[in-house]
Amino acid sequence: MINYDYFCPANNETVSVSHGIREQILTWGELCEKAGRLPGTTPAETPVERLISGGMLAMVAGGRSSASPLPVMNSCCGHPSGCSRHG
């Protein structure tokens, strides 16, 4: 499982959850359920954005690891035009 950060523009909250690479979380309700928290006053159907963060860890010959940074992105979401958080 991988940790992902999600941002909700409606309430300005960022929440971290762990899930499989193929799983998609699209709404605040899905995110809160996965995080084991109550949605509060934010409607469950409110869209959330998955953020890109951190780097990658790659194994190399001999069992050593080296950090390999991700390519530079224009915004947290990786879209050149930005996202609603940075628009």
Side-chain angles (χ1 to χ4, degrees):
M1 296 254 218
I2 301 171
N3 286 335
Y4 294 97
D5 293 331
Y6 288 86
F7 176 71
C8 179
N11 62 23
N12 205 33
E13 284 193 54
T14 300
V15 177
S16 295
V17 293
S18 181
H19 62 74
I21 196 165
R22 294 178 191 231
E23 186 174 351
Q24 290 186 345
I25 295 178
L26 303 174
T27 66
W28 179 247
E30 294 169 345
L31 180 58
C32 288
E33 183 177 331
K34 190 70 171 179
R37 62 179 276 177
L38 297 173
T41 59
T42 305
E45 64 275 2
T46 303
V48 294
E49 303 165 355
R50 188 165 86 182
L51 306 177
I52 295 176
S53 60
M56 297 170 30
L57 186 64
M59 295 302 293
V60 296
R64 294 186 216 160
S65 64
S66 63
S68 173
L70 290 173
V72 175
M73 300 291 186
N74 292 327
S75 71
C76 70
C77 60
H79 297 287
S81 61
C83 63
S84 60
R85 182 176 181 191
H86 296 100

